[in-house]
Amino acid sequence: MKLYDYPKAPNPRRVNIFLAEKGIEIERVPVDLMKAEQLKPEYRAKNPACDVPMLELDDGTCISQIRAICRYFEEIEPSPPLLGSTPTEKAQCEMWEHLASMNGLLAIAEVFRNTAPGFAGRAGVGPHSYEQSPELAERGLHRVSNFFTDFDQRLSDNDYVAGDFYSMADITTLVACDFARWIKQEIPAECSNLRSWYDRISQRPAVQANS
Ligand SMILES: N[C@@H](CCC(=O)N[C@@H](CS)C(=O)NCC(=O)O)C(=O)O
């Protein structure tokens, strides 16, 4: 198996923390996003979504999209469980991981990709070209602010994002909090629940090893 990776970017980091938590070692193939290697024909033939990370199995099957990649590893290496253990936990994990992706990571990406000069004409991830939109960037900033307050509320009576167990929902939320620095945002001082959760989760060895 090979993991096509660009560890400096937030989305590959989610899988790298996930694998470190499970103690899985895997061959990495670097895909340099700064050189647009994700758009090259050889890579596009394996992953039409033109993004990283991407997992290539020994039989040549290619799996992109983080949820699919993590699902695969959870099935082949169930311990420790990172996508929940019971039907309820699994649903809670999926629900909160989805919310952290949509309202955290994607809101931050909306600001970053619609303002950074290097992303002119590349405001969306993937094979298609999109022009930058200042309105989307402005709206994105409001969304990021709401992400912080909503997740602070969630953590006011839960030890972890999905409930009382550590999961992929925590990994995605932590990566979103760090990614927010790329747009000069950080967890507001008044979000004390989110802040103390962040301090606790960022001490985990798997997170430290991928910081
Ligand atoms: N929805 C994708 C998101 C992956 C993604 O956005 N990856 C970024 C790096 S953080 C990427 O490959 N960007 C390529 C580009 O900017 O063209 C997933 O779940 O895997």
Side-chain angles (χ1 to χ4, degrees), residues 38-51 54 62-65 125-128:
Q38 78 278 19
L39 300 174
K40 290 197 169 154
E42 317 85 76
Y43 189 74
R44 191 182 289 220
K46 290 177 189 284
N47 177 11
C50 298
D51 58 5
M54 192 265 289
C62 289
I63 303 170
S64 79
Q65 307 311 301
V125 174
H128 308 294

Side-chain angles (χ1 to χ4, degrees), residues 59-88:
D59 69 0
T61 304
C62 289
I63 303 170
S64 79
Q65 307 311 301
I66 288 157
R67 247 171 254 173
I69 295 170
C70 291
R71 167 57 59 200
Y72 179 80
F73 283 116
E74 184 90 345
E75 298 290 334
I76 63 165
E77 186 55 71
S79 179
L82 291 172
L83 299 178
S85 299
T86 66
T88 305

Side-chain angles (χ1 to χ4, degrees), residues 6 8-15 31 33-34 36 38-39 43 47 49-54 63-69 97 101 105-106 109 113 119 122-128 179 182:
Y6 183 72
K8 288 183 203 149
N11 281 297
R13 186 176 174 224
R14 288 161 67 196
V15 169
V31 178
L33 301 186
M34 293 301 108
Q38 78 278 19
L39 300 174
Y43 189 74
N47 177 11
C50 298
D51 58 5
V52 283
M54 192 265 289
I63 303 170
S64 79
Q65 307 311 301
I66 288 157
R67 247 171 254 173
I69 295 170
E97 208 275 331
S101 303
L105 279 176
L106 284 178
R113 296 191 71 111
F119 284 100
R122 294 267 326 131
V125 174
H128 308 294
F179 185 31
W182 293 30

